[in-house]
Amino acid sequence: MRILIVEDDAALARGVTGGLKLAGYAVDHVASGEEAVRLERAEPYGLVVLDLGLPDLSGFEVLTRIRRRGSTVPVMILTAREAVADRVKGLDLGADDYLLKPFDPAEFEARVRALVRRGQGTPVPELACGGLRYDRSTATVTLNGRVLDLRKRELAVLEGLITRAGKVVPKDRLAGEVFGFDEPVAPNAIELYVARLRKKLEPDGPQIRTIRGLGYLMENA
């Protein structure tokens, strides 16, 4: 899952970005409202974390532009503005959550998980495909009761496939959710992680089929 952080406080952005990357997310960071609007239009984000006090556009204007074009990406406002009027305005403009600075990192990450689930249309924390279970609240994967040891990228590929089990996931879409825009990506990176994931799902896990020219499909058991 890929997240966009829109924050002009460099130290805070580093902390938030680092914590989310450790939690297994692909994260992009920008400090400009205009850049945020451009990237959100172009990239498959699962969540936008948005500061209000940006140097060019206000966070409210960024949110307005995102919603005006019909985007339903979940948006969390992260700000020091504690006035009720600001909270009401942000929510009325289409924000899904509003968190005041300073905040507890554990609460922030819990809210991120909840918003990502909501954006995927799967509000429960556990996803399943046959005997495969993925608990997003703990990043734990089990197959017929045994715990699988997955690396961060393998887990990201798994999430991209299991949330759409039974449907074809385009390769480019999967890559866009797994890697940030500033990360070097080898041409065969997704094929490599899918191959590793297939091996770890053998012999009794769901099959991941390559649909030539289209992408990948995790078959419902």
Side-chain angles (χ1 to χ4, degrees):
M1 179 53 60
R2 192 167 169 188
I3 296 174
L4 176 63
I5 306 296
V6 189
E7 172 61 66
D8 65 336
D9 182 326
L12 177 60
R14 281 195 301 272
V16 169
T17 299
L20 290 175
K21 285 183 176 180
L22 285 175
Y25 298 99
V27 186
D28 298 331
H29 165 241
V30 295
S32 156
E34 291 283 3
E35 184 72 357
V37 172
R38 184 189 69 79
L39 277 178
E40 192 282 325
R41 183 184 300 115
E43 303 293 339
Y45 292 108
L47 174 66
V48 175
V49 178
L50 177 63
D51 182 30
L52 293 182
L54 299 170
D56 50 356
L57 301 179
S58 75
F60 289 137
E61 177 61 22
V62 173
L63 179 58
T64 298
R65 294 190 187 185
I66 288 174
R67 294 298 185 232
R68 184 183 295 150
R69 73 175 191 84
S71 173
T72 59
V73 62
V75 175
M76 178 198 294
I77 291 176
L78 194 63
T79 181
R81 298 187 191 180
E82 60 183 15
V84 172
D86 285 327
R87 279 180 270 175
V88 170
K89 182 176 181 179
L91 294 170
D92 282 347
L93 287 174
D96 299 272
D97 199 0
Y98 195 107
L99 184 61
L100 291 175
K101 305 172 186 174
F103 54 88
D104 183 89
E107 179 187 1
F108 170 71
E109 290 189 19
R111 288 173 181 249
V112 166
R113 290 192 296 269
L115 290 173
V116 166
R117 292 196 302 265
R118 187 186 307 170
Q120 293 173 331
T122 52
V124 296
E126 185 177 272
L127 300 172
C129 182
L132 183 66
R133 299 285 187 275
Y134 172 39
D135 187 335
R136 291 180 289 186
S137 63
T138 61
T140 302
V141 180
T142 60
L143 179 59
N144 296 324
R146 72 177 189 275
V147 177
L148 298 185
D149 181 19
L150 300 185
R151 296 180 180 273
K152 182 175 71 171
R153 298 298 187 202
E154 295 165 357
L155 189 62
V157 170
L158 172 70
E159 183 171 13
L161 294 173
I162 197 172
T163 55
R164 306 176 182 93
K167 300 178 182 178
V168 176
V169 182
K171 177 183 171 183
D172 289 346
R173 174 83 186 192
L174 195 57
E177 293 178 353
V178 172
F179 300 102
F181 67 76
D182 60 345
E183 296 177 283
V185 182
N188 65 336
I190 288 296
E191 289 94 332
L192 174 64
Y193 289 117
V194 168
R196 290 179 180 174
L197 186 57
R198 281 181 175 137
K199 188 171 183 179
K200 292 184 178 182
L201 293 178
E202 292 176 348
D204 51 348
Q207 298 294 308
I208 300 174
R209 292 176 53 204
T210 299
I211 310 300
R212 190 169 299 279
L214 295 176
Y216 300 97
L217 181 148
M218 178 175 283
E219 293 185 328
N220 282 309

